[in-house]
Amino acid sequence: MSGSTEDYAPHPHIGGRTAALRALAAWRGAAPGVPRVVVITGDSGSGRSRLLTGFLMLCEPEFRKQLPLDAMDPSTVPPELPAPAVPAPDGLTAAQVLWLLADHYELDATSTQGVFAELAALDEPVTVVVPDVDRAGPVRAADEPARLVREVLAPLAATGTVRLLAELPRPLAVELAAGLAPGTVQIIDLDEREWADPAGLVLHAQAALNPEFGAPELPFTVDPAARLALGAAIGRRAGTSPLAVQLAVQGVLMAPEGFDPADEGWLPASVGEALDLHARRLGADPQTLRLMLAPLALAETEGIPVSLWGRLASAVAEQDMSQAIAGGMLLAGPFVQPEEQRAEEEQGGGRTLRAEEEQGGGRMLLRLLHPAIGDEIRAGLPNVRAAQTRIAMALLEAVPEQDWSRADPYVRDHIAGHTLEAGLLPQLLTDPGLFVHADPVSLRAAIEAVPVEALGAPARTYLRTAPLLTRTQVPPALRAALLETAFVEDGLPEYADAVHRLGFELPWRTLWSLPVAGVSAVTVGSLPRPEGQATPVAVLVVPADTPGARPVGGMGGIEMGATGETSDADETSDADGAAGDSGEASDPEAEELDETSDRGRSAVLVHDLVRPHPLADIDPGQILRPSEDERAAAPLGLSRGADYLRVWDRASGEAVAALLSDTPFTAADLSPDGVLVVVTERGAKALHIRPAAAAIAS
């Protein structure tokens, strides 16, 4: 082992890397002169993750007890300290990683800048380890690793009280270091001579070939001399790449027929050689293997379902690959990692994944063994964008009758990632069904990677609503409710109507939206007519210079008093659950309105309550508000917080609708027949509440 002596036992997981472990142990112990920021880097497949995993074993107090610390080189063992924070970014956005860190330290911050400020103010040492930065993000083409470095790791590294250890691809390691003061950061590049571990690679190969550790019994594995010689040859050929060692060993163990351990010409020196040599040894065209693996190299996150593999491989190859796929696991096996995913109910969807998966208990996903394999295959494609275009078209064709509720979860949640890399995402973002059924975290990340000016109006509405969708993690039915009212608010009623046709029992229908600024209060009422029924109206208090508004002084005898709202503190929680039956609260906004009205600084707009029509030339003094008895007899009640409203059934005390907003509610009122008018800084809108449903909206 490089940099160690035979007197010490190697780390049982790493089997080497002594020089790197010494540097990491010194960082963990805050040794004098050691930079507080350390970055592990190297080529993909150089063993960055393995090294960091082994080091974290030494940092976790309970796991340390399982390691032979007394037999190991003391300079490679960090002092026993509380475990560091390890916000793993695999599949997460930069913001999600930061909030993992905030949760670890139990911070009260409500903004990203607040997180950094509170971390800097902590009395305890702040030690953060961030592994696998290259795996960050739900959408590969959105380049989330770079965002994680710029928006999270760079500010952490610049905070003098934070000790940071991160594992980064080389370009991002260079970028992070360039922004820090000299002496602040140490870069451990595992491909450089100082940190390389050729002896450790030989040990890895020899151990992987040993039947005592799970290798099959073959002539060159059971014979110790042959095993040691082959392991030495594999390690020697692999240079500085543990991944090349792993692929070489897996290839010969999976298909040993015809393998000559004395012929080093069949041992790979790189990932690309591992692919090509394995194919040739099995009598296959290396290009066939690469085309088989191409869908996995272009896939998102957890991998693709086996059921889609052949379809997508044929799309990339532009030829039928079904026969190659059907008999190709021996060929593809060393490079593929299968994973069974249990069939579970879709969140809020009320259905299982697929009927055939119900019978089998789950579905099989396939992904590449290591990201470096994907890098190699993508680099060999003549046109990645064209390949992603063909994959996107194949995924669209796989949606039954273009009904996204019946689409395979991979298709539904990740088609946006494929179309993003194909340059086609804006064209996809016109289907409310996709907006409702797709995973909002993945879809939001993909859309945010597109310039806003390239997005159509429906996509901009989705992007505006997405923070609520991702914050609340609501199921499809409630996502539909959020989007329905957002479409009306943004002047897209045809998209709101399309949401109603998706088959959900939405808790409301948004009747109208009025984008007027400065609304300070609202009340519902009715305008008597000489003949026929009175016209239900909403009266909005607005700044005096609002077009079409009438001075408050013209309101005559109308009261802007009680709105029927209660705060959560006013709600009772007795056994019968009749929340709010203790009485209606007065409206402090209305009292404030009366004061400002006297000074003549406000005016009113009158709007039809159920139709999208402002009512001009209406004397507000003629408008009648519901009496207290009428409000008390209404089937629905209203309570309000800063960024939510709750409508509840008076008889049962159960909530029938809960509205969330990304901006505070300014005012709200509920008519006796269930029309809710809400006001935020964007303006006012009216929703007709269904009496027997529950949902969330904004």
Side-chain angles (χ1 to χ4, degrees), residues 238-571:
T240 61
S241 174
L243 179 59
V245 169
Q246 183 180 6
L247 295 178
V249 171
Q250 290 190 177
V252 299
L253 296 183
M254 188 171 292
E257 294 79 7
F259 173 68
D260 181 1
D263 186 355
E264 291 192 18
W266 292 106
L267 302 179
S270 65
V271 173
E273 282 193 7
L275 288 162
D276 297 342
L277 290 175
H278 182 72
R280 291 193 183 103
R281 197 162 56 80
L282 296 185
D285 181 356
Q287 184 63 12
T288 298
L289 173 58
R290 289 172 176 262
L291 289 174
M292 289 171 60
L293 298 179
L296 305 180
L298 298 170
E300 297 290 342
T301 62
E302 72 271 13
I304 64 172
V306 171
S307 59
L308 288 174
W309 188 18
R311 179 194 290 262
L312 299 185
S314 298
V316 174
E318 297 185 280
Q319 62 184 4
D320 186 3
M321 295 287 291
S322 57
Q323 287 189 345
I325 295 293
M329 275 312 295
L330 187 62
L331 180 60
F335 312 98
V336 171
Q337 181 176 336
E339 181 176 332
E340 185 173 0
Q341 184 181 68
R342 296 186 62 184
E344 298 176 350
E345 292 268 326
E346 289 290 303
Q347 185 183 23
R351 61 180 181 84
T352 50
L353 297 177
R354 295 167 65 100
E356 59 267 30
E357 290 157 9
E358 292 177 15
Q359 297 170 4
R363 65 174 187 161
M364 187 66 70
L365 299 177
L366 294 177
R367 61 180 175 183
L368 294 175
L369 185 69
H370 193 279
I373 303 173
D375 295 341
E376 170 67 25
I377 292 172
R378 284 194 299 272
L381 290 173
N383 190 325
V384 170
R385 186 166 184 166
Q388 285 285 31
T389 298
R390 293 193 291 272
I391 284 181
M393 295 303 103
L395 293 175
L396 279 174
E397 292 171 0
V399 180
E401 299 177 356
Q402 295 305 295
D403 181 353
W404 290 100
S405 70
R406 298 164 56 196
D408 182 276
Y410 181 86
V411 179
R412 180 194 65 212
D413 295 337
H414 299 301
I415 191 171
H418 289 281
T419 54
L420 173 64
E421 196 162 17
L424 300 174
L425 182 56
Q427 292 92 305
L428 180 71
L429 301 176
T430 58
D431 189 339
L434 177 64
F435 291 152
V436 166
H437 289 286
D439 171 49
V441 173
S442 298
L443 185 54
R444 177 187 180 183
I447 297 176
E448 286 181 338
V450 178
V452 173
E453 60 271 16
L455 298 174
R460 291 196 297 271
T461 295
Y462 184 90
L463 198 57
R464 177 175 70 80
T465 313
L468 282 179
L469 303 181
T470 55
R471 185 183 84 193
T472 56
Q473 289 292 293
V474 294
L478 305 188
R479 294 201 289 262
L482 277 160
L483 288 165
E484 185 268 358
T485 192
F487 283 134
V488 174
E489 197 172 38
D490 289 351
L492 300 171
E494 66 277 17
Y495 284 89
D497 292 341
V499 172
H500 281 284
R501 294 193 294 269
L502 293 177
F504 296 105
E505 291 290 335
L506 299 187
W508 55 72
R509 179 178 287 274
T510 306
L511 303 175
W512 51 265
S513 177
L514 188 64
V516 59
V519 181
S520 59
V522 63
T523 185
V524 299
S526 60
L527 181 65
R529 295 293 185 186
E531 298 179 359
Q533 294 182 338
T535 300
V537 297
V539 182
L540 309 173
V541 179
V542 295
D545 59 353
T546 301
R550 296 176 63 102
V552 171
M555 292 174 62
I558 185 172
E559 287 187 16
M560 296 293 284
T563 65
E565 295 180 41
T566 66
S567 69
D568 272 355
D570 294 322
E571 294 185 26

Side-chain angles (χ1 to χ4, degrees), residues 20-67:
L21 282 175
R22 284 174 177 157
L24 295 178
W27 168 83
R28 183 68 176 121
V34 175
R36 60 179 177 82
V37 178
V38 173
V39 175
I40 300 173
T41 190
D43 291 340
S44 185
S46 61
R48 303 183 316 233
S49 296
R50 187 179 185 90
L51 169 62
L52 192 53
T53 299
F55 176 67
L56 287 174
M57 291 177 179
L58 295 166
C59 295
E60 209 288 316
E62 290 302 315
F63 206 98
R64 283 171 63 100
K65 299 175 182 178
Q66 306 173 36
L67 299 176

Side-chain angles (χ1 to χ4, degrees), residues 6-30:
E6 296 180 357
D7 295 333
Y8 297 116
H11 189 298
H13 179 75
I14 301 174
R17 298 291 189 193
T18 302
L21 282 175
R22 284 174 177 157
L24 295 178
W27 168 83
R28 183 68 176 121

Side-chain angles (χ1 to χ4, degrees), residues 160-240:
T161 56
V162 173
R163 301 187 63 80
L164 175 66
L165 170 60
E167 181 231 313
L168 300 173
R170 190 175 288 111
L172 293 179
V174 172
E175 178 180 330
L176 179 64
L180 298 174
T184 303
V185 61
Q186 178 182 24
I187 295 181
I188 298 176
D189 189 326
L190 298 183
D191 291 308
E192 292 183 355
R193 183 182 182 87
E194 178 183 3
W195 309 106
D197 188 23
L201 292 188
V202 171
L203 292 178
H204 290 165
Q206 292 170 341
L209 292 167
N210 196 330
E212 292 185 7
F213 301 121
E217 294 187 354
L218 299 166
F220 51 81
T221 63
V222 296
D223 182 343
R227 181 175 67 244
L228 293 176
L230 178 57
I234 290 174
R236 185 168 55 251
R237 287 282 296 166
T240 61

